[in-house]
Amino acid sequence: MIKTQAMDINGKELTRAEEQIMQILWDIRKGFVKDILQRLPPPKPAYSTVSTIVRILVQKGYAGYRAYGKTHEYFPLVSREAYRSHTAKKLLQHYFDNSVGSLVSFFVDKKKIDVQEADEIIKLLRDFKKEES
C-alpha cells in the first residue's frame, strides 16, 4: 500500500520536532523510522516518539509512505522549497506587514547581515531590476 496524497499546507503548521523530522526526510528522500532516528542528534528520542511524529506528518499531508507488511518507508510529499515559500510568506505577513524591505531592515538593524551578504542582496536586486526592465 502506498499513501501519497499531498494536502494543502495552509493551516497545517509544523512543530519544531515535526520540522526536524521533515528536514531529515528531505535530505534522505525516503527512509524508515530507524533511518530517521540515526540522523537525529543526541540525545536521541525513543523509536516510538519518532514513529509518532512521522505518522502525524502523514496525517498533516507532509509525508507519505509505502507499506511493507507492518513496516513503513516514509517520504516527503511537500517539497522543501514549497515549505520554505509557505514559511517565508507567513513570516512576512505576520511580522513584517508583507514588506521585504522591513524584513531586510530588521536584519540590518540587528547586525545579522554581514557585508558579503549585503553585497549579494544588492547584486540580486540589480539583476532583478534588469530582468523587470
Side-chain angles (χ1 to χ4, degrees):
M1 174 186 178
I2 301 174
K3 168 108 167 77
T4 61
Q5 184 177 1
M7 297 170 62
D8 180 19
I9 61 177
N10 290 326
K12 297 191 176 28
E13 304 303 324
L14 297 182
T15 65
R16 185 172 295 161
E18 292 165 353
E19 192 171 287
Q20 185 179 31
I21 300 297
M22 279 305 300
Q23 292 289 351
I24 293 169
L25 279 176
W26 285 319
D27 288 343
I28 66 175
R29 295 196 175 112
K30 63 182 178 177
F32 300 94
V33 171
K34 68 178 179 61
D35 301 321
I36 296 167
L37 191 57
Q38 286 176 342
R39 291 181 169 255
L40 287 167
K44 294 189 186 285
Y47 181 96
S48 60
T49 302
V50 176
S51 180
T52 298
I53 293 169
V54 174
R55 281 186 272 122
I56 290 168
L57 289 168
V58 169
Q59 289 173 350
K60 288 184 173 183
Y62 282 87
Y65 63 87
R66 179 180 297 247
Y68 300 96
K70 292 183 179 183
T71 304
H72 294 84
E73 181 180 44
Y74 297 96
F75 49 88
L77 292 176
V78 173
S79 71
R80 181 179 269 150
E81 183 59 32
Y83 185 72
R84 181 183 293 150
S85 179
H86 167 75
T87 303
K89 182 178 177 182
K90 189 178 114 184
L91 179 70
L92 278 174
Q93 287 175 341
H94 294 281
Y95 298 101
F96 297 99
D97 297 323
N98 282 325
S99 169
V100 174
S102 293
L103 173 72
V104 172
S105 177
F106 171 82
F107 285 110
V108 169
D109 290 345
K110 298 294 181 190
K111 307 224 184 309
K112 298 291 184 185
I113 295 178
D114 63 28
V115 174
Q116 183 179 353
E117 288 174 318
D119 287 342
E120 289 174 23
I121 291 169
I122 291 167
K123 182 185 180 314
L124 287 170
L125 292 172
R126 284 188 182 134
D127 292 346
F128 175 75
K129 196 171 181 179
K130 286 177 188 174
E131 288 175 13
E132 293 297 310
S133 297

